[in-house]
Amino acid sequence: MIALRFPALLTELRRLLGDANILADHAELVVYECDGFVVEKNSPDVVCFPRSTADVQKIVTLCNEYDVPFLPRGAGTSLAGGCLPVGGGVMIVFTRMREIEEINLRDRFAVVQPGVVNVWLTNALKGTGFHYAPDPSSQGACTIGGNVATNSGGPHTLKYGVTVNHVLGLEAVLSDGSLVRFGGPVEDFLGPDLVGLLVGSEGTLAIVTKIWVRLTRDPQGYRTMLGIFDSVDDATAAISEIIGQGIVPAALEMMDQGIITALEQAFHFGFPLDAQAVLLIELDGLEAGLDEQRDRVLEICKRSGAREVRRADDPKERLKLWKCRKQAFGAIGRLSPSYCTQDGVVPRTKLPHIFRAIIAIGEKFGVRIVNVFHAGDGNIHPIILFDERDAAQVRKALDAGHAILEECIACGGSVTGEHGIGVEKIEFMSKLFTPDDLAVMRRVRDCFNPESRLSPGKLLPTAGGCGMEHKPTVQSKPGRRAAL
C-alpha cells in the first residue's frame, strides 16, 4: 500500500487534489481492482480523480518523483483487463473530467473530456442533424476516452468505421508529465499520423485529456429489419449475399439461439425459442433508393431460408428492434453469475466455420457459450458462461477462450476487433506478429514511455517473453462481468 510504502506521496496527492478526490482505503480500492475482465484482479494503491489536465500533469510528475507506476481508467468497461493495475500504483480515474466542451456544427466537430460517456454526446446532438458515429454496445456506460484507448467499434462499424476514423485531434499528458497536442479541429495535419498512433494504444503511450471528434450528418432515412433463421448457416449465407450484391448496411448483427432464449425470457420480444439465429439488418442513407435496397435484402433473406423477416415501419418500431440487440448482454445476467466476452475477428466467409468451432470448443471444455456477432465485419463475441467462485470453471472458461482465439488466428483473423489486448491476450501478440514487428512496437512505446511507469504490463509482451510474465490473477470475491 502506498499509504504505508510512500506516505509522503499520499500526503502530496491529498494536498494537490483534496481529500474528496483521493481514495486510499482498502475497502474503497477494491472497486477498482478489475474492469470488465473479472478473471484477473489487483488493487491499485491509490485512486485519484483529476478535474483538469493540470491535475493530471501534477499527478504524473509526482508518480515519477516517487518512482510509482500509474495508469488511466475511464468507466472500467474494458473487457480485456486494460484497466488492471498490474503491480498496483496510482490509478487516474476520469469520471470527474466529463464535460462536452464544444459542439461546432458548422465545422462538424465536438471537443470532449475523456470521462464523457459515449451516449451523452449522442443525446447532446439529438435534433441537430448530426451524430457521433462510434456507438459501442456499452455506449450507455463507456467513456469516449476509453473508446480512444481501445479504438472501439460497435454495431455500425461496417459502414462508419471505428473510433480512429472519427478522432480529429488529441491533447495528452506524456509519461514525463509534459503536455502535447496532436491534430485538432481541422482535417489532415501535416506530419506523421500521431493521432492514429495513440488511438488504440491502450493508454501505454500517453494519457489523453481532451479529444476532438468528427461529427457526421444524420442519414435521411433508415430501413431496419429483423430476420429469424432456422440455422446459423442460413443467416451467414444471407450476410454474404447482401454484401456480395454491393449493399453496405449500416449494421449487420447476429445473435444465436442461446441469446434469443435469454432475451425472450427476460424481455418477451416474441421470438420463437426454436430459432437458431436472428439477424438485425439496418440500411441508412438518402431516402431515394432505400426502399429498393430494403426489398432486395428482404428477398435475399427469404431466399436464404429466413422463417420470418420483421420490418420497422416507424422510429418507434426501429427502436424496439434495436432494443433486442442492445439488451442482449443484460439478458445474459439471467443465465450465469459470471461471463467472459471474447473478441475475435475472422473473414466473413469463415463465420459458419468459427460458429461450429465455438460449439465444439464449448463441448470439449464443458462450458456453455452463447454468441453475439458484429457479423457484417466478421467480429465475433462468444460469451463464455461460468461461475468465478469455482476455480475449475474459471480454468475451463479461460481454456475455452484461448482455444477460440487460436481458431480465429488459424482462420486468418485476429484476436481483437475492438476490445484491445489488455492483459488477457498479451500472450497472443507473439503469435500474431513477428519478433521484428514486436521490437518496433516496443521502440515506439519506449519513445513515449521510456521508464514504463505508464500502464505497465499491458499490450506488449516483455522482450523474449511469452506474454505470461505478469501473474496478478487473484480470485478475491464473486462478481459479475460488466455488460458490453
Side-chain angles (χ1 to χ4, degrees), residues 372-395:
V372 174
F373 295 173
H374 300 308
D377 53 340
N379 187 187
I380 63 169
H381 289 316
I383 304 160
I384 305 167
L385 310 181
F386 66 103
D387 186 340
E388 68 170 290
R389 295 167 295 188
D390 184 333
Q393 287 193 40
V394 172
R395 186 69 261 163

Side-chain angles (χ1 to χ4, degrees), residues 434-446:
T434 69
D436 287 343
D437 293 335
L438 292 172
V440 170
M441 294 180 200
R442 288 190 198 95
R443 290 179 66 182
V444 171
R445 182 189 60 188
D446 291 346

Side-chain angles (χ1 to χ4, degrees), residues 113-373:
Q113 294 181 347
V116 169
V117 173
N118 183 293
V119 78
W120 295 353
L121 184 55
T122 298
N123 291 337
L125 291 166
K126 280 182 179 176
T128 66
F130 292 86
H131 69 286
Y132 174 57
D135 61 340
S137 299
S138 59
Q139 72 171 149
C142 65
T143 62
I144 294 179
N147 299 163
V148 168
T150 59
N151 194 19
S152 298
H156 292 89
T157 293
L158 177 62
K159 183 171 182 178
Y160 291 98
V162 291
T163 296
V164 72
N165 304 117
H166 301 273
V167 174
L168 295 167
L170 298 170
E171 175 191 87
V173 175
L174 297 179
S175 65
D176 63 356
S178 58
L179 186 65
V180 294
R181 175 174 156 178
F182 302 128
V186 300
E187 303 273 357
D188 299 328
F189 270 75
L190 291 175
D193 180 14
L194 295 177
V195 171
L197 180 65
L198 257 63
V199 176
S201 62
E202 303 188 28
T204 61
L205 302 184
I207 299 175
V208 171
T209 52
K210 187 181 294 186
I211 307 151
W212 285 259
V213 299
R214 176 183 289 109
L215 303 182
T216 302
R217 186 175 288 280
D218 290 346
Q220 277 188 0
Y222 300 92
R223 300 293 184 273
T224 308
M225 294 149 277
L226 193 76
I228 299 172
F229 293 82
D230 290 328
S231 77
V232 171
D233 281 4
D234 288 347
T236 53
I239 293 167
S240 293
E241 189 168 351
I242 290 169
I243 302 290
Q245 290 205 10
I247 301 170
V248 182
L252 260 176
E253 299 285 295
M254 190 169 75
M255 296 172 280
D256 76 353
Q257 201 266 342
I259 293 288
I260 295 168
T261 301
L263 278 169
E264 194 55 31
Q265 291 175 349
F267 304 112
H268 311 295
F269 287 115
F271 294 136
L273 295 180
D274 61 339
Q276 296 302 303
V278 164
L279 193 59
L280 178 64
I281 309 157
E282 180 158 279
L283 306 167
D284 71 8
L286 297 173
E287 276 290 344
L290 271 183
D291 284 341
E292 187 268 340
Q293 284 192 45
R294 177 202 60 200
D295 292 344
R296 287 170 64 195
V297 169
L298 290 172
E299 175 57 30
I300 290 169
C301 288
K302 291 175 181 175
R303 195 164 61 240
S304 300
R307 176 194 301 184
E308 176 188 354
V309 184
R310 300 177 184 178
R311 288 169 37 180
D313 292 325
D314 56 45
K316 187 176 179 181
E317 290 186 6
R318 175 178 177 248
L319 288 177
K320 184 178 178 181
L321 293 186
W322 270 108
K323 189 177 178 182
C324 303
R325 170 62 182 89
K326 294 283 185 177
Q327 295 192 341
F329 283 84
I332 294 167
R334 299 172 66 90
L335 303 179
S336 175
S338 311
Y339 61 91
C340 177
T341 306
Q342 271 301 347
D343 170 40
V345 181
V346 297
R348 199 165 43 238
T349 56
K350 295 288 187 180
L351 283 174
H353 168 82
I354 196 69
F355 184 76
R356 285 190 286 272
I358 290 169
I359 293 173
I361 288 167
E363 292 173 350
K364 177 181 177 182
F365 291 99
V367 293
R368 186 180 177 192
I369 305 175
V370 296
N371 293 275
V372 174
F373 295 173

